[in-house]
């Protein structure tokens, strides 16, 4: 009879474990990820349940428990056990978002990582017929890429249209327990020593009042959110990238760093990138949580003469941060505590997911100004300022913020500034970082109620 197998946590799993340790338990479900697959008309519940079982056989993460031991936290991988539990929500829904909300209700209560596999499966039905399959996972099980792989494989397994899913089903997937052992190997230790040298250099460059970023408010509930939807901004960003050889990621990261300089009234900006750590085979496509925080420092005084030069400086700094973005968080925590007397704290997050920006945009709409909408943030804790750039013809720029740092009027003004600056940059290659900072400051000042 097969038995459970235990291994250390991967660096990504350990980061989730430590980062969430002090969060209120009732807030944990805010961090869970949800993926939705529309079911073909001829797909019945039995086939869906069987497909979920295949996913669990293929990916250890879906049958892993996480336990604290005298040696530290470990992952306990259970053997595949045939049919899995799939709950049903009977509700007519019109969109994938509505289906996600229905399925996610089953994860309103915190998943007990030590006792349960850290995921929930659901069928959303209408009159008894399955319309959507829903996967919800604790973040320790999957990041956004991993959820995308699960969705693609599930789509293919139930007869949906996913060439990517069919291709992945032909592969033997990498597993987190093997990754954890690789990270603990001699080669892994050598890379870990290089990361600690990077962190020592970073701490030497950063004043003690700049990093660790004060994060006392990070666990206090209360966040607002707004989104800029702008085909014009997407088209302008594509033009800037193509004409000047700049990466869209770095252009918006540079803009965001200047915005943070204004918000925080500082010339030394500390930002946090989310490093996907999916850079080397065979771990690029593992279903696990791989993301880790990658802090970076940027000085806006003196800044390079032109914004384009500043973007190139930002790119070099970001690449270095990403390069050292995979690490043992306990070792980094010990180093920072020894140097600074307190734990690492992170804020001013930036996550760029709009990988389709340089592709041809849909015709029409590229000359229309963007629109800013107030949205309701799912997560009420975490960074005080968090920017996420999504793909699609409107390239949504989503900002979640602590209203104590960025009140709603200023948040909306800031997103309009993004829209206007991207249009301006498409026709102005000599604009300076100082000029962008001044315009951002004026935009936020005008947003203050009289």
């Amino acid at each position: 009879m097969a038995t459970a197998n235990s291994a250390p946590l991967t660096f990504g799993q350990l980061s989730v474990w430590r980062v969430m340790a002090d969060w209120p338990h009732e807030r944990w479900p805010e961090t869970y990820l949800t993926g939705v697959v529309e079911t073909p008309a001829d797909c019945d519940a039995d086939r869906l349940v069987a497909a979920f079982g295949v996913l669990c056989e293929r990916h250890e993460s879906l049958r892993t428990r996480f336990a604290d031991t005298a040696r530290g936290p470990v992952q306990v991988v259970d053997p595949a056990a045939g049919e899995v539990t799939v709950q049903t929500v009977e509700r007519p829904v019109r969109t994938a978002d509505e289906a996600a909300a229905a399925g996610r209700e089953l994860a309103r209560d915190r998943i007990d990582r030590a006792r349960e596999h850290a995921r929930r499966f659901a069928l959303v039905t209408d009159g008894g017929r399955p319309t959507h399959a829903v996967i919800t996972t604790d973040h320790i099980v999957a990041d956004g890429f991993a959820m995308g792989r699960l969705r693609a494989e599930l789509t293919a397994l139930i007869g949906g249209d996913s060439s990517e899913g069919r291709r992945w089903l032909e592969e033997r997937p990498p597993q987190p327990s093997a990754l954890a052992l690789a990270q603990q190997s001699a080669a892994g230790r050598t890379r870990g020593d290089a990361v600690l040298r990077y962190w020592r250099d970073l701490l030497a460059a950063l004043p003690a009042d700049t990093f660790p970023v004060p994060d006392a408010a990070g666990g206090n509930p209360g966040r607002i959110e707004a989104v800029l939807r702008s085909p014009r901004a997407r088209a302008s960003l594509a033009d800037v990238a193509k004409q000047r050889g700049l990466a869209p990621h770095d252009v918006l990261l540079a803009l965001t760093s200047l915005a943070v300089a204004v918000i925080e009234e500082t010339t030394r900006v500390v930002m946090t990138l989310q490093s996907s750590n999916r850079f080397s085979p065979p771990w690029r496509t593992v279903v696990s949580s791989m993301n880790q925080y990658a802090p970076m420092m940027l000085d806006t005084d003196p800044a390079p003469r032109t914004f384009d030069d500043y973007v190139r400086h930002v790119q070099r700094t970001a690449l270095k941060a990403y390069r050292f973005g995979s690490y043992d968080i306990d070792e980094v925590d010990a180093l920072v505590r020894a140097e600074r007397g307190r734990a690492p704290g992170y804020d001013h997050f930036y996550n760029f997911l709009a990988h389709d920006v340089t592709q041809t945009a849909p015709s029409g709409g590229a000359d229309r100004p963007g629109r800013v909408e107030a949205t309701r943030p799912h997560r009420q804790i975490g960074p005080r300022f968090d920017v996420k750039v999504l793909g699609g013809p409107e390239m949504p720029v989503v900002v979640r913020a602590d209203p104590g740092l960025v009140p709603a009027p200023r948040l909306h003004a800031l997103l309009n500034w993004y829209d206007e600056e991207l249009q301006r940059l498409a026709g102005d290659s000599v604009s300076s970082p100082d000029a962008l900072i001044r315009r951002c400051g004026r935009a936020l000042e005008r947003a203050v109620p009289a």
Side-chain angles (χ1 to χ4, degrees):
M1 182 176 179
T3 59
N5 174 51
S6 68
L9 298 192
T10 68
F11 292 163
Q13 291 169 340
L14 184 62
S15 285
V16 172
W17 182 283
R18 297 301 187 205
V19 167
M20 293 178 61
D22 295 329
W23 286 4
H25 282 193
E26 66 271 15
R27 295 282 170 183
W28 282 26
E30 294 181 10
T31 70
Y32 295 172
L33 278 68
T34 300
V36 178
V37 171
E38 186 172 353
T39 60
D42 61 349
C43 183
D44 60 19
D46 289 344
R47 183 171 182 181
L48 283 161
V49 171
F52 280 123
V54 172
L55 285 185
C56 291
E57 290 175 6
R58 288 176 53 77
H59 301 289
E60 284 183 357
S61 289
L62 300 180
R63 45 189 169 88
T64 297
R65 293 172 288 114
F66 299 88
D68 210 354
T69 72
R71 307 188 315 275
V74 298
Q75 53 179 312
V76 181
V77 182
D78 291 322
E83 186 172 305
V84 299
T85 299
V86 181
Q87 297 173 276
T88 299
V89 179
E90 169 65 26
R91 184 177 307 168
V93 297
R94 295 171 298 174
T95 67
D97 287 344
E98 290 178 354
R104 194 180 177 95
E105 288 179 2
L106 302 176
R108 284 178 301 181
D109 297 328
R110 181 177 63 91
I111 296 171
D112 187 334
R113 294 173 180 166
R115 296 176 180 272
E116 302 177 73
H117 299 145
R119 43 73 177 168
R120 301 259 167 86
F121 299 144
L123 301 184
V124 179
T125 61
D126 184 356
R129 186 185 76 81
T131 61
H132 296 82
V134 184
I135 305 171
T136 300
T137 68
D138 186 317
H139 214 320
I140 203 169
V141 165
D143 53 24
F145 177 94
M147 181 59 75
R149 175 167 187 167
L150 291 175
R151 287 181 63 251
E153 289 192 10
L154 182 59
T155 300
L157 285 168
I158 62 175
D161 182 17
S162 177
S163 57
E164 183 179 51
R166 290 191 295 272
R167 175 176 58 79
W168 270 332
L169 287 173
E170 294 175 356
E171 301 176 2
R172 183 177 181 180
Q175 304 295 354
S177 61
L179 170 59
L181 295 176
Q183 290 173 335
Q184 299 295 328
S185 68
R189 292 303 315 157
T190 298
R191 286 190 290 272
D193 291 342
V195 170
L196 291 179
R197 288 194 295 272
Y198 167 76
W199 273 87
R200 290 190 182 95
D201 291 343
L202 186 67
L203 291 171
L206 288 169
D209 60 354
T210 304
F211 186 86
V213 177
D215 65 343
N220 293 336
R223 294 292 181 266
I224 59 174
E225 185 179 274
V227 56
L228 166 68
R229 303 182 190 278
S230 179
R232 180 178 75 173
R234 182 189 191 277
S236 298
L237 181 57
D239 286 344
V240 171
K242 291 175 182 177
Q243 293 169 7
R244 304 182 210 170
L246 302 172
H249 167 284
D250 300 316
V251 173
L252 275 177
L253 174 56
L255 273 180
T256 301
S257 70
L258 299 179
V260 170
V262 174
I263 292 167
E264 291 282 15
E265 299 181 351
T266 184
T267 59
R268 175 156 287 183
V269 174
V270 180
M271 296 193 61
T272 306
L273 305 177
Q274 298 205 57
S275 182
S276 73
N277 296 327
R278 293 182 179 276
F279 308 127
S280 59
W283 314 115
R284 286 175 179 163
T285 62
V286 64
V287 170
S288 187
S289 182
M290 296 287 279
N291 295 349
Q292 290 186 263
Y293 300 161
M296 61 181 290
M297 180 191 76
L298 294 165
D299 284 319
T300 61
D301 184 23
R305 186 175 60 84
T306 69
F307 180 74
D308 285 15
D309 289 337
Y310 181 65
V311 173
R312 293 186 175 94
H313 169 64
V314 168
Q315 180 184 43
R316 292 190 295 270
T317 307
L319 284 173
K320 189 172 184 181
Y322 282 129
R323 179 184 174 193
F324 294 104
S326 178
Y327 52 86
D328 183 326
I329 194 173
D330 287 347
E331 291 186 348
V332 168
D333 181 272
L335 173 63
V336 175
R337 287 178 184 273
E339 294 282 337
R340 295 290 158 90
R342 61 188 191 275
Y346 306 89
D347 204 352
H348 311 141
F349 278 51
Y350 176 83
N351 196 6
F352 186 90
L353 302 172
H355 302 299
D356 59 350
V357 167
T358 53
Q359 298 173 6
T360 302
S363 59
D367 57 344
R368 291 201 310 269
R371 64 189 189 279
V372 176
E373 304 169 4
T375 49
R376 186 182 185 281
H378 175 69
R379 187 180 300 180
Q380 288 293 326
I381 51 178
R384 295 179 305 151
F385 187 74
D386 189 357
V387 177
K388 183 172 289 187
V389 185
L390 306 177
E394 295 184 318
M395 194 185 69
V397 179
V398 184
V399 181
R400 185 175 67 243
D402 182 339
L405 177 68
V406 189
R410 285 185 175 235
L411 178 56
H412 288 230
L414 181 66
L415 284 168
N416 280 314
W417 172 80
Y418 271 91
D419 191 35
E420 293 165 4
E421 287 300 336
L422 285 170
Q423 185 188 31
R424 183 180 284 111
L425 288 168
D428 179 6
S429 62
V430 297
S431 188
S432 69
D434 288 343
L436 272 72
I437 286 174
R438 287 194 297 272
R439 289 195 289 268
C440 183
R442 288 196 295 267
L444 297 189
E445 288 171 4
R446 290 194 296 269
V448 177

